Amino acid sequence: MDYREYIVNKLNLENITAADVALPPNSQMGDYALPCFKLAKAFRKSPVAIAEELKNSFVCDEVISEVSAVNGYLNFKINKMGLVSSVLNRVLSEGDCYGSSDVGKGKTVCVEYSSVNVAKPFHIGHLSTTVIGGALYKIYKFLGYNVVGINHLGDYGTQFGKLISAYKRWGNREEVDKGGIHAINELYVRFNKEADELMEQEARNYFRLIESGDREANELFEWFKELTIDYVNTIYEKLNITFDSYAGERFYIDKMQPVIDELKEKGLLKESEGAQIVDLEPYGMPPCLVLRSDGASLYATRDLAAAIYRKNTYNFYKCLYVVAYQQNLHFKQFFKVLELMGKDWAKDLVHVAYGMVSLEDGAMSTRNGRVVWLEDVINKCVEKAYAVIDEKNSALENKRQIAETVGLGAVIFGALYNNKIKDVTFSYDKVLSFDGETSVYVQYTCARANSVLEKSGKSFALPEKYEPNAQEYEVIKQLSTFPQTIKDAAEKYEPSLIARYAVDLAQKYNKFYIDCKILSAEGETKHFRLSLTEAVHVTLKNALSLLGIGAPEKM
């Protein structure tokens, strides 16, 4: 049973959802709480008066044993015996499906994320879009949606003319094949350092050759693209990231003209200093530039074509764009243009904005060669994880494999734990700490629970009736909120809710582990505590899996 949904259904209030029901800061107040502040306008009363009124009209039953009103909060206490039985039975019976749902059945969600640039390095700045999008992909699938993961490749623009110019000046096939993306990047950086007006013009000419279908130029471009995809796929495999489409900007070049024609037909396209724009001043925004004065398309032109293509192809319920907050205006503009074109589905487009990830030593520039490669960050995390694990448990088998899982988990979790809109400064020492709010702490707790289960021989059964103590009950309550947490994460496009949930569950289990005997307990108490341990182990693994993180059985 989902208790938050049960409470909402029983209250039967407009504009109140399960996401509004929270866990009180003090468990003595209740198991769940509904803040009544958002009801003040509709009820035309103070939150305190509303909470008191709702308390007086609420009828307790076999599920909810007590209701109280405190300072504008409506607090609920759940029947302990019913909670314990229903939660543990559900977790243990559903296993790695615990928390899943069919709420998304028959609905398609498109998620555009990572969207790397061809022939440019996969650096630390790509981490957030990749792991946030990857987590949302897994979360929506877990909730029964049909999910389409889209890597909207940056494969169009004059930079490819620059790259061809650089390659023909200084490169050779053997060296580039051997060096791959790194060799391509070196050529790009050298071009930008040495370019004069003649070289810039040459680059523009090469790009025009790509556009016009020139065989040699396009063969070189496709080669650079292939080298890029081969490289980034090694990173995606490590990060447990998958895509269903690699349709990038170039894919939409022949799909832009119908969009431009429709804009003209609907009187939305206007000329401004030779360029073609959609005037958005009445909506408090600068104009959306659709075509430059030389007739060239822009990001907005291609994004308009892409959105229409995706709606026609996938008939999506939602289309998410996991892109940094610096692009807020761009998305507001092109969403508004689609709305003005009469696309009623424009409301289903969502910009999932996120903050930037940087290392402690500062910013980056691809053009000038100041780049922190993501593979270097991953490798450093794995090596540091190996050193920590070796120090803590030198006799551990498969240390290298475990260090890989721990190091990769630290990289992913470090970008996911905070609210997505916050800028993050990545610290190796912080993300690899066995204490605190880290994936290592969650993984270690998972391994601890597994160790307890292995020592028990896994020969136990959940008692039919058991009165939990305070520590046991806190763990049970935390377990009970996992299904709703996943739904909240999907509704708010916020994987950090699952990351924080995992840390909270690990903390509550570790307190229980320290305060309560498990293997040395007797009778039903031992059986119950082993059942509780297994439920925690299952749920932590599920939470980590939704974030793209593995859970070692030993650490």
Side-chain angles (χ1 to χ4, degrees):
M1 177 184 295
D2 192 316
Y3 289 93
R4 292 200 284 184
E5 286 188 356
Y6 183 87
I7 289 168
V8 168
N9 290 336
K10 197 165 172 66
L11 286 169
N12 194 27
L13 296 169
E14 287 187 14
N15 301 321
I16 293 294
T17 69
D20 296 308
V21 181
L23 295 177
N26 182 350
S27 60
Q28 296 300 314
M29 299 168 67
D31 299 310
Y32 296 95
L34 174 69
C36 295
F37 304 96
K38 70 181 289 185
L39 296 170
K41 185 175 181 181
F43 277 66
R44 297 185 178 181
K45 295 179 182 178
S46 72
V48 172
I50 295 168
E52 190 65 33
E53 185 177 308
L54 290 174
K55 182 202 78 171
N56 292 335
S57 63
F58 195 92
V59 179
C60 292
D61 54 23
E62 70 280 359
V63 176
I64 299 171
S65 59
E66 184 181 333
V67 180
S68 62
V70 180
N71 298 327
Y73 288 82
L74 192 63
N75 299 318
F76 303 87
K77 285 191 176 181
I78 304 297
N79 182 309
K80 277 190 179 183
M81 298 293 285
L83 178 68
V84 169
S85 176
S86 65
V87 171
L88 286 187
N89 275 313
R90 181 178 175 187
V91 179
L92 298 177
S93 64
E94 294 183 9
D96 58 10
C97 292
Y98 177 57
S100 64
S101 166
D102 62 357
V103 68
K105 187 176 181 180
K107 298 176 182 175
T108 294
V109 173
C110 293
V111 187
E112 179 192 304
Y113 60 107
S114 198
S115 301
V116 293
N117 294 312
V118 167
K120 286 189 179 180
F122 200 144
H123 56 67
I124 187 70
H126 293 119
L127 178 60
S128 288
T129 174
T130 303
V131 298
I132 291 171
L136 290 172
Y137 183 95
K138 294 175 181 67
I139 288 165
Y140 280 104
K141 270 193 173 296
F142 207 58
L143 294 176
Y145 290 87
N146 174 45
V147 189
V148 181
I150 301 170
N151 197 330
H152 186 70
L153 295 174
D155 57 1
Y156 190 80
T158 55
Q159 67 266 33
F160 301 110
K162 293 180 180 181
L163 195 53
I164 291 174
S165 176
Y167 172 73
K168 292 180 80 68
R169 284 172 180 273
W170 308 303
N172 69 70
R173 186 94 189 188
E174 185 178 347
E175 287 182 2
V176 173
D177 267 332
K178 184 178 179 181
I181 191 78
H182 298 279
I184 297 173
N185 184 57
E186 287 172 5
L187 290 171
Y188 182 74
V189 170
R190 183 174 178 182
F191 181 93
N192 282 292
K193 284 181 177 178
E194 300 184 19
D196 54 22
E197 182 52 39
L198 186 63
M199 290 170 65
E200 293 286 356
Q201 183 58 49
E202 183 180 82
R204 287 191 287 271
N205 289 338
Y206 276 125
F207 178 58
R208 275 195 282 271
L209 286 174
I210 294 173
E211 287 188 296
S212 64
D214 178 79
R215 180 179 172 183
E216 182 191 20
N218 276 279
E219 282 179 352
L220 286 171
F221 170 80
E222 289 299 332
W223 175 42
F224 297 148
K225 182 175 179 178
E226 182 182 331
L227 290 171
T228 304
I229 297 298
D230 287 345
Y231 167 71
V232 297
N233 277 340
T234 64
I235 303 294
Y236 291 142
E237 187 176 349
K238 288 182 177 181
L239 296 175
N240 195 17
I241 298 292
T242 56
F243 294 98
D244 304 293
S245 167
Y246 281 88
E249 292 182 77
R250 201 167 181 226
F251 178 77
Y252 299 103
I253 299 307
D254 63 352
K255 299 169 180 59
M256 292 187 295
Q257 192 58 49
V259 178
I260 295 165
D261 293 342
E262 185 175 348
L263 287 168
K264 287 178 180 176
E265 288 168 13
K266 293 181 175 176
L268 294 170
L269 212 55
K270 298 180 180 179
E271 185 174 324
S272 175
E273 298 179 8
Q276 296 293 314
I277 68 162
V278 176
D279 181 17
L280 298 178
E281 187 176 347
Y283 309 98
M285 286 181 274
C288 180
L289 192 57
V290 177
L291 293 173
R292 289 195 311 217
S293 56
D294 62 0
S297 63
L298 294 105
Y299 287 122
T301 330
R302 299 187 284 277
D303 277 342
L304 288 166
I308 292 169
Y309 172 84
R310 290 173 191 172
K311 184 61 181 179
N312 291 339
T313 304
Y314 304 115
N315 191 27
F316 55 72
Y317 164 73
K318 293 281 184 185
C319 183
L320 313 184
Y321 297 81
V322 186
V323 181
Y325 63 71
Q326 286 89 340
Q327 298 298 319
N328 281 354
L329 177 60
H330 167 75
F331 284 99
K332 286 180 182 176
Q333 286 179 311
F334 105 76
F335 290 176
K336 175 55 74 171
V337 172
L338 286 167
E339 182 186 324
L340 294 173
M341 291 173 73
K343 312 297 184 186
D344 59 355
W345 47 265
K347 67 183 186 307
D348 302 323
L349 305 177
V350 181
H351 175 207
V352 180
Y354 61 84
M356 302 306 292
V357 175
S358 61
L359 293 179
E360 292 168 301
D361 56 359
M364 302 170 296
S365 168
T366 306
R367 179 171 298 195
N368 296 320
R370 295 195 310 273
V371 176
V372 180
W373 293 74
L374 185 54
E375 66 175 315
D376 291 340
V377 174
I378 289 172
N379 291 338
K380 188 171 180 178
C381 256
V382 170
E383 287 305 313
K384 281 182 170 288
Y386 181 84
V388 172
I389 290 168
D390 188 50
E391 181 183 345
K392 286 185 174 288
N393 189 356
S394 59
L396 184 66
E397 295 180 0
N398 302 317
K399 280 186 289 188
R400 279 288 170 194
Q401 184 179 342
I402 293 169
E404 180 103 355
T405 303
V406 171
L408 285 165
V411 172
I412 296 168
F413 203 85
L416 290 180
Y417 184 72
N418 291 300
N419 185 293
K420 64 181 180 295
I421 204 63
K422 290 184 178 180
D423 289 335
V424 176
T425 301
F426 191 89
S427 164
Y428 292 104
D429 291 335
K430 184 177 179 181
V431 300
L432 286 167
S433 172
F434 271 70
D435 300 311
E437 299 161 343
T438 65
S439 61
V440 185
Y441 175 72
V442 177
Q443 288 171 320
Y444 183 71
T445 305
C446 212
R448 166 178 276 177
N450 183 64
S451 176
V452 171
L453 294 170
E454 286 192 343
K455 289 175 183 176
S456 75
K458 298 189 178 181
S459 55
F460 54 88
L462 178 64
E464 287 188 17
K465 292 185 178 180
Y466 183 85
E467 185 73 32
N469 65 23
Q471 291 93 332
E472 293 163 343
Y473 191 52
E474 285 302 307
V475 178
I476 292 285
K477 284 198 298 180
Q478 185 69 17
L479 288 168
S480 75
T481 63
F482 185 53
Q484 187 59 46
T485 300
I486 300 171
K487 292 176 184 175
D488 292 348
E491 185 178 324
K492 298 175 182 178
Y493 319 110
E494 191 61 83
S496 68
L497 295 177
I498 294 174
R500 290 181 176 274
Y501 170 90
V503 169
D504 289 345
L505 178 57
Q507 288 173 340
K508 285 180 169 62
Y509 177 76
N510 283 321
K511 179 171 174 46
F512 154 74
Y513 176 89
I514 292 167
D515 292 348
C516 304
K517 296 177 181 179
I518 302 176
L519 292 172
S520 60
E522 296 181 352
E524 288 194 342
T525 300
K526 180 177 181 178
H527 281 255
F528 177 82
R529 291 176 179 175
L530 287 170
S531 298
L532 185 61
T533 296
E534 184 174 3
V536 168
H537 184 242
V538 164
T539 307
L540 287 179
K541 284 182 71 174
N542 288 357
L544 289 171
S545 177
L546 288 172
L547 303 178
I549 298 172
E553 295 297 287
K554 297 179 186 294
M555 279 180 68

